[in-house]
Amino acid sequence: MTTSTAATTTVLKSLNGAMHAMMEADERVLLIGEDLLDPYGGAFKVARGLSERFPERVLTTPISEAGFVGVAAGMAMRGMRPIVEIMFGDFLMLAADQLLNHISKYRWMYNDQVHVPLVIRAPMGARRGYGPTHSQSVEKHILGMPGLHVVAPSVLHDAGALLRAAVLDDLSPVVFVENKLMYARRQMSAEGGRIGDLFARATSERYPTTTVSWEPFDRADVTLVAYGGMVELALEAAETLFFEDELVVEVVAPSSLQPLDLAPILDSLKRSGKLVVCEEGTAGAGFGAEVISRVSAEGFSLLKSAPKRVAARDYPIANTRSLEDMILPQVADLVRSCRSG
């Protein structure tokens, strides 16, 4: 995609800057996790510089996800605003008991007298050759967990602003999904309703949904829903389809996966009537299944054809690049699904 404007900063710098600013302004904010200390600053260097500036509020821990997530939950209940860094999102499942049986339920178990304003940052995703246990997108396993918010920035969002909203404004526990490949990408923000050559619009919620199109939202042939790292692939597919097939694809990128605001998707479907949903994880019981289920229930009359899902194949993710590419959804898969009837 050709972008002439709005290339601001990388996602990594945006997240790092947000944490520096929050810890500078608010003593309740702290960071806890493994290998956070400088000069490394975490496995992907998102926490770089924090331990030198705030040594008493950057807590590096032993390898025990269940343990330090539980400690952070206690801190949140006592008025702190902890940010937990999970080294690789795959390890989030080691803290599943804390999430499922404790953190997400306390508010109701104690008659709304207790809140757990805790943010768990979890680097997810593949395409870096890390293999089957360090490349997964496991967020679908926590979608549908009552009481938990799941937020996933993309290049169409201000990742730092989303993190600030999660840490400072959200009283619910938040799992903040960060696609690893996205860290080096530049965020694209809208200026005057445009992002580069694209027309753009965004909702005004705490965690906005951004929709972009090659046309000024007066016509569309396909609604392509994507989040996180898949948004870049969706944008590339939309560009290919516009110039090779003259198909107008609206890319709808929610930043909140749970709760999911269905309104922007339904609004796009009023123009296109055709829905494709993509995700980097496997399809079964995933994000795409949830979107299609809700659209079928709340906007069935808008569909002119059967909705489609594009996702990873049902295999563990391989180390070898050729096998990794075979397993993961590619731009060509999106193009093919958008072209098909």
Side-chain angles (χ1 to χ4, degrees), residues 19-52:
M19 287 195 289
H20 273 274
M22 285 189 288
M23 294 184 74
E24 174 72 29
D26 193 330
E27 292 187 348
R28 298 175 303 166
V29 180
L30 59 90
L31 180 66
I32 183 171
E34 300 160 352
D35 286 346
L36 297 175
L37 300 184
D38 291 314
Y40 210 55
F44 298 95
K45 308 184 190 305
V46 183
R48 179 179 281 178
L50 290 170
S51 70
E52 289 188 357

Side-chain angles (χ1 to χ4, degrees), residues 144-178:
M145 195 179 286
L148 193 67
H149 290 177
V150 181
V151 176
S154 75
V155 291
L156 295 179
H157 301 102
D158 183 335
L162 291 176
L163 184 60
R164 283 193 294 274
V167 174
L168 300 178
D169 300 335
D170 199 335
L171 286 178
S172 297
V174 177
V175 173
F176 198 85
V177 177
E178 301 169 4

Side-chain angles (χ1 to χ4, degrees), residues 126-150:
R127 308 183 199 275
R128 295 181 67 153
Y130 291 164
T133 62
H134 292 67
S135 304
Q136 299 168 92
S137 297
V138 302
E139 56 269 22
K140 74 173 183 179
H141 298 295
I142 57 173
L143 293 177
M145 195 179 286
L148 193 67
H149 290 177
V150 181

